[in-house]
Amino acid sequence: MLRLAVFLLSSCFFGGCTAQSPENKLEEKYPEAKKINWRTDRNGNEEAHFTLNGSSYRADFSPDGHWIETERNIKWSELPPAVKESLDKNAHVEKKHVVEIEEVNHHEKGWFYDVEIRKKKGKRDIQIAPDGRVIQKEAWK
């Protein structure tokens, strides 16, 4: 622990300190966030669960405060038409097969929809951009 503290202090002194706490980064990114609850996820990242404009969100941050992604659960009716068409065309998915839909803003991928599907052959997630382009499609589990 002492080594980590010395490393962080020397890094800030010699290289300029850019890291922030996840709490500070959340406040900077979402100053209007309310009802904030923090927990550590299985990957060691910090998860903030909060409300914003009446909706519930989850934002993930690395331990040194770098924002990873923000997610919000949405309903089928909130999906853009291009995403619904892509689901039908690329996975033959109807509303009845959808278990969960998340609107995601990711630090590398940008905005997309993560749709969890359940059929007789198992479940899978498909990530689709707002324009209907498939970003990632998991194998059936």
Side-chain angles (χ1 to χ4, degrees):
M1 187 68 163
L2 179 59
R3 284 184 188 172
L4 178 62
V6 170
F7 171 76
L8 290 174
L9 286 173
S10 64
S11 295
C12 289
F13 182 75
F14 292 111
C17 192
T18 58
Q20 294 182 348
S21 72
E23 292 85 358
N24 288 344
K25 195 66 174 182
L26 176 73
E27 186 171 332
E28 178 184 299
K29 192 159 183 62
Y30 302 105
E32 303 297 316
K34 307 281 188 230
K35 301 179 184 175
I36 303 165
N37 291 306
W38 288 93
R39 63 182 72 135
T40 303
D41 71 13
R42 64 179 177 224
N43 299 314
N45 294 316
E46 298 301 320
E47 282 184 359
H49 295 256
F50 60 95
T51 58
L52 182 66
N53 301 323
S55 294
S56 296
Y57 290 84
R58 188 192 91 219
D60 296 335
F61 297 87
S62 65
D64 61 355
H66 290 92
W67 172 74
I68 299 168
E69 69 180 5
T70 303
E71 299 178 345
R72 175 177 77 101
N73 283 29
I74 64 168
K75 298 175 184 173
W76 176 266
S77 60
E78 296 175 81
L79 280 176
V83 174
K84 289 178 184 176
E85 289 171 19
S86 181
L87 284 166
D88 182 44
K89 178 182 171 185
N90 293 295
H92 308 289
V93 173
E94 301 172 33
K95 180 181 176 182
K96 67 182 179 183
H97 300 125
V98 174
V99 176
E100 181 181 49
I101 306 169
E102 294 173 325
E103 179 182 56
V104 181
N105 186 6
H106 188 271
H107 76 284
E108 290 179 344
K109 297 177 186 177
W111 287 96
F112 65 90
Y113 297 89
D114 186 0
V115 181
E116 184 178 326
I117 301 155
R118 224 176 266 273
K119 288 187 172 183
K120 290 180 183 177
K121 53 182 142 184
K123 75 172 200 163
R124 76 185 320 178
D125 278 84
I126 299 177
Q127 296 176 356
I128 302 175
D131 64 3
R133 183 177 34 89
V134 175
I135 297 171
Q136 183 177 347
K137 188 183 332 183
E138 290 182 353
W140 289 102
K141 298 177 191 173

